[in-house]
Amino acid sequence: MRILATAARLGSALTPVLSGSPAMGLGPDSVQVEPRCLAVGDLLAATLIVTGYPAEVGPNWLDPLLSYPGRLDVSLHVEPVPAPVASDRLRKQRARLESTRRSAAQHGRLEDPETEAAAADAAELAWRVARGEGKLFRLGLYLTVYAEGRGELADELSAVRALAESMLLRVQPATWRALKGWTSCLPFGTDQLNHQRTVDTAALAAAFPFASPDLPTADTAAGAVAGVLYGINTAASGLLFWDRWAQDNHNSVTLARSGAGKSYLTKLDVLRSLYQGVEIHVVDPEDEYTRLAEAVGGTVLPLGSPGVRLNPLDLDPDGGPDELTVRALFAHTFLAVLLAEDLTGTQKALLDKAILAAYRQAGITADPRSHARPAPLLADLQTALTALEVPEALLLADRLAPYTTGSHKQLFDAPTTTVPGGHLTVYSLRDLPEELAAAGTLLALDRIWRTVTNRQRPCRRLVVIDEAWLLMRARAGALFLHRMAKAARKHRAGLAVVTQDTADLLATDLGRAVVANAATQILMRQAPQAIDAVADAFHLSVGEAAYLQSAGRGEALLSAGPGRRAAFVSTASDLEHGLAVTGLETPED
C-alpha cells in the first residue's frame, strides 16, 4: 500500500499545471526539462528531497511546511514494511551497532553518544515490533517549489531550505532528476525518486492529519470552558470556542462584504462576553446595538439626537498634571478630522495658541485643581482664533462656523449632557449627518479610551468599532485607531474592528498595521474584487480563498496565525437571535 498526500498552499501551481489553460486540459502547455528545474507552462519548478530527519518529532510536525506562505507542494509517500522484513532489518541494524560498540570498547575508545542512542532506539523499536505495538514504514518526503522567474525561484528555494533546516530536516536538490521530482509531487501516487527513510508508527502518525480543523483551546480550571462560543466548526462538527484574552494581544478584526453576517457575529460576541464580566463599549454607526443594550440594561448615547451633547474639549478632573496637554493634542486630532484636512504647520501653531487661550479664558491652567471647572466649547475656541487677528486663524474660525453657530452645531453647542458608564455602553451615530460621522466616531473613541485608561477601576474591556471604514477615511482618525490597537493590551483591553471596506483597509499602511496588531482575525464572505488582496494579506490557500468567495451568511474563517485556522458557522439561541438581528429585520429572518 502506498499513500500520497499533497498539500498546496497559497496559489499552488498544481491547479494551473493540471488545467493547462482557462479552457480545459489535462496538463500544462509545455514542460521543459533542465538539470535543476523544470519550466512548467509559465512557471518554474524545482524539487527538494528530504534526506535527514530529526531524532524525535511531535504532533503535526509537518505543519510549518504546509503553512508556508508561497507556492509549495509537499508530497509524503508511505510504504509499509512487512513484519518479517522489519524484524530482519532491525536485527541486522542492532548487530551492526553492537559490533561498533564492542570494537570501540576493545580499542579503549570513548563511547559514541550517537551510537549509544541509536542502539537504544533500535532495541526499543525491535521489542515494539515483536509485541505488535508498532510497525515500520518507508517514508519519502519531497518538496516542490514554484516561481515565475529564476531569481524568484532561487529566493523561494532558499526560504524553504531555511524553514526545513529550522525543523532539523536536511534537504538536497533533485539535480538531474527534476522531472521525476515534479511528477513525484503530483497526485499520481508514484514515487519516482525512491529516496526513503524507515520510520515507526508513532512518527508517521504524528504527520497525519496535516492540520487539525480544531483550534487549540486554553487551559481551564475546574473543567470550565474558556472563551466565547463562536459557532459550529464546519470541518469537525464540533463547537468552536475562542478566548481572545489568552492570545498575544486581545484585538480582533472582522472583514466581510455587506450582508455576510459580520454584525450578527459581533453582537453574539458582545452578548457572550458580557456573561463573563467583560465591560464593553460599542461605536455603532447604524443603531444596530440599541435593542441588545436595552435588553441587558446597558447605556445608549444617540449622538446627534436632540438634547445630546458631547464636548470635545472636556477634561478629566482626575487626569493628572499633564491632562491639559493631552486634551490640547486631542483637539488637534479632532479638528483635523472635523475639517477633513491635514493642517499645515502654521495652522497647527495658531490652533495651539487658540486652544490654550480658550482654556485660560475658562479659568483652566496646568494646575490639576482647575480641571474641575467647566471646559470651554468649540465656540470659545472659534472666538480665541478670531482674537488672534491673523488671516490663517480667521480662515480656521470661519471653517468652524458651521459647527458652532451653523447647521452642524447640535453636537457641540453645549456642555456634555450624559456621562457614559456601566457594563455596556453604545454610542449610536445613526442620527449624525454624514459630515459628522467621522468626527462623532472619533469623539466616541476618545471617551472610550479615557475610560479604558482609568486605572482606578481596572477590568477587562472590549472596544467594538463597527463599520470602522468611517474612521479610517481620515488619516488623523486612522492614526488614533492605530494607537489604540497598539496600546490596548497594556490596559487589559481588546479592540474589535469590524468593517466591510476590506480592499481600502488593506490598501493603506495604517489599515494593514491595524490588521497586523490583531491576534484574532475573522474573515467572512468576500467580494471577488477584494479576494486577491485578502488572500495575499492573510496567506490564504486556494481552497480557503474559494471558501470565502462562496461562504453563506454567518460562515467564517477564524485565523490566529499559521496553522491555527478553523472554518465555522455562527449559531445562536432563539433569544440571542432576536437580539442579534438588525432593526430592519425580524427575529424570524
Side-chain angles (χ1 to χ4, degrees):
M1 179 181 64
R2 190 181 292 258
I3 301 173
L4 171 67
T6 301
R9 286 292 184 263
L10 189 56
S12 169
L14 187 58
T15 301
V17 163
L18 294 180
S19 62
S21 65
M24 186 175 182
L26 297 178
D29 297 333
S30 63
V31 176
Q32 180 180 345
V33 182
E34 299 182 13
R36 294 181 178 273
C37 66
L38 290 176
V40 184
D42 296 331
L43 297 174
L44 294 177
T47 301
L48 297 174
I49 304 173
V50 177
T51 59
Y53 296 80
E56 296 182 1
V57 294
N60 202 18
W61 59 277
L62 284 180
D63 186 68
L65 289 174
L66 301 173
S67 302
Y68 178 75
R71 295 176 175 138
L72 174 66
D73 284 352
V74 180
S75 180
L76 184 65
H77 295 260
V78 182
E79 182 178 357
V81 179
V85 177
S87 300
D88 183 63
R89 289 180 180 177
L90 283 173
R91 185 172 59 254
K92 292 179 180 180
Q93 180 67 10
R94 293 182 64 193
R96 284 194 294 267
L97 293 172
E98 184 63 26
S99 175
T100 301
R101 294 173 60 187
R102 292 184 180 183
S103 175
Q106 289 176 358
H107 291 83
R109 292 193 294 265
L110 294 176
E111 295 180 348
D112 183 6
E114 293 186 0
T115 302
E116 296 293 331
D121 292 342
E124 181 183 356
L125 183 57
W127 281 108
R128 288 209 304 268
V129 171
R131 290 193 296 263
E133 297 177 359
K135 294 183 178 180
L136 295 186
F137 299 84
R138 299 290 293 171
L139 182 146
L141 181 57
Y142 313 116
L143 315 173
T144 298
V145 182
Y146 296 88
E148 296 181 354
R150 297 187 182 276
E152 292 87 345
L153 181 62
D155 293 339
E156 289 292 324
L157 284 172
S158 298
V160 172
R161 294 189 70 154
L163 177 60
E165 292 292 340
S166 69
M167 300 168 59
L168 302 181
L169 296 174
R170 293 194 302 272
V171 295
Q172 297 293 336
T175 306
W176 299 107
R177 293 175 291 174
L179 181 59
K180 291 183 178 181
W182 177 63
T183 55
S184 295
C185 286
L186 292 179
F188 298 152
T190 58
D191 182 4
Q192 299 189 18
L193 291 173
N194 199 31
H195 196 291
Q196 299 176 330
R197 172 73 175 269
T198 302
V199 298
D200 64 344
T201 305
L204 179 62
F208 292 92
F210 286 110
S212 170
D214 287 317
L215 287 171
T217 57
D219 294 335
T220 57
V225 178
V228 169
L229 172 63
Y230 275 18
I232 299 176
N233 191 316
T234 57
S237 299
L239 298 179
L240 177 62
F241 287 86
W242 187 248
D243 187 4
R244 69 168 65 239
W245 309 103
Q247 310 310 312
D248 294 337
N249 62 65
H250 314 320
N251 301 337
S252 68
V253 59
T254 303
L255 305 180
R257 66 183 298 177
S258 178
K262 59 184 182 302
S263 294
Y264 184 92
L265 175 61
T266 304
K267 281 180 274 191
L268 291 180
D269 190 5
V270 167
L271 189 58
R272 292 164 182 172
S273 296
L274 287 172
Y275 300 157
Q276 300 180 352
V278 179
E279 182 181 302
I280 299 178
H281 302 263
V282 181
V283 179
D284 179 14
E286 297 295 338
D287 198 26
E288 295 185 68
Y289 294 79
T290 299
R291 185 165 64 234
L292 187 152
E294 293 174 347
V296 300
T299 302
V300 179
L301 274 73
L303 302 184
S305 297
V308 178
R309 302 291 185 268
L310 199 58
N311 183 13
L313 301 180
D314 278 343
L315 283 84
D316 185 357
D318 301 323
D322 59 343
E323 175 67 10
L324 180 60
T325 302
V326 172
R327 302 315 304 162
L329 293 175
F330 172 74
H332 283 273
T333 302
F334 172 75
L335 290 174
V337 173
L338 185 67
L339 302 179
E341 70 172 16
D342 292 331
L343 302 177
T344 65
T346 302
Q347 290 174 327
K348 290 181 180 179
L350 294 172
L351 185 59
D352 195 64
K353 292 181 181 179
I355 292 172
L356 296 178
Y359 277 115
R360 283 196 300 271
Q361 289 293 328
I364 298 174
T365 64
D367 187 354
R369 292 175 297 180
S370 65
H371 297 173
R373 295 172 180 170
L377 304 175
L378 274 186
D380 300 320
L381 176 59
Q382 182 187 25
T383 301
L385 284 170
T386 304
L388 294 177
E389 298 182 351
V390 178
E392 290 276 2
L394 294 176
L395 179 61
L396 285 174
D398 291 340
R399 296 200 60 186
L400 283 177
Y403 309 103
T404 56
T405 58
S407 57
H408 296 327
K409 68 177 182 178
Q410 66 270 20
L411 187 60
F412 314 112
D413 62 351
T416 299
T417 56
T418 305
V419 178
H423 55 280
L424 174 61
T425 304
V426 176
Y427 295 82
S428 177
L429 310 181
R430 188 181 64 175
D431 294 333
L432 284 177
E434 178 67 20
E435 294 78 7
L436 292 179
T441 303
L442 184 61
L443 269 182
L445 284 177
D446 173 62
R447 290 284 171 169
I448 293 171
W449 188 243
R450 292 162 73 175
T451 303
V452 167
T453 55
N454 185 356
R455 298 182 181 275
Q456 297 181 356
R457 196 166 57 87
C459 66
R460 283 181 175 177
R461 294 182 175 93
L462 179 61
V463 181
V464 179
I465 306 175
D466 207 341
E467 302 299 350
W469 60 272
L470 291 172
L471 185 62
M472 297 293 291
R473 290 183 302 181
R475 177 172 175 80
L479 283 170
F480 189 88
L481 188 61
H482 180 221
R483 288 195 296 269
M484 284 189 65
K486 297 186 69 174
R489 187 181 186 279
K490 300 177 182 178
H491 303 281
R492 300 183 64 193
L495 178 66
V497 176
V498 184
T499 185
Q500 59 177 294
D501 207 346
T502 305
D504 289 348
L505 180 68
L506 298 177
T508 63
D509 293 338
L510 290 174
R512 289 192 296 270
V514 170
V515 172
N517 279 281
T520 302
Q521 301 162 348
I522 301 176
L523 306 176
M524 306 184 79
R525 184 179 177 91
Q526 299 294 323
Q529 298 83 354
I531 191 61
D532 290 339
V534 173
D536 182 63
F538 295 93
H539 306 301
L540 301 181
S541 68
V542 176
E544 289 168 341
Y547 171 76
L548 293 182
Q549 284 188 280
S550 61
R553 178 178 292 187
E555 295 181 349
L557 177 68
L558 190 149
S559 174
R564 305 179 69 198
R565 292 179 179 173
F568 70 96
V569 56
S570 57
T571 183
S573 66
D574 293 340
L575 178 59
E576 289 175 324
H577 179 74
L579 297 176
V581 293
T582 64
L584 300 179
E585 299 173 331
T586 62
E588 288 74 18
D589 293 337

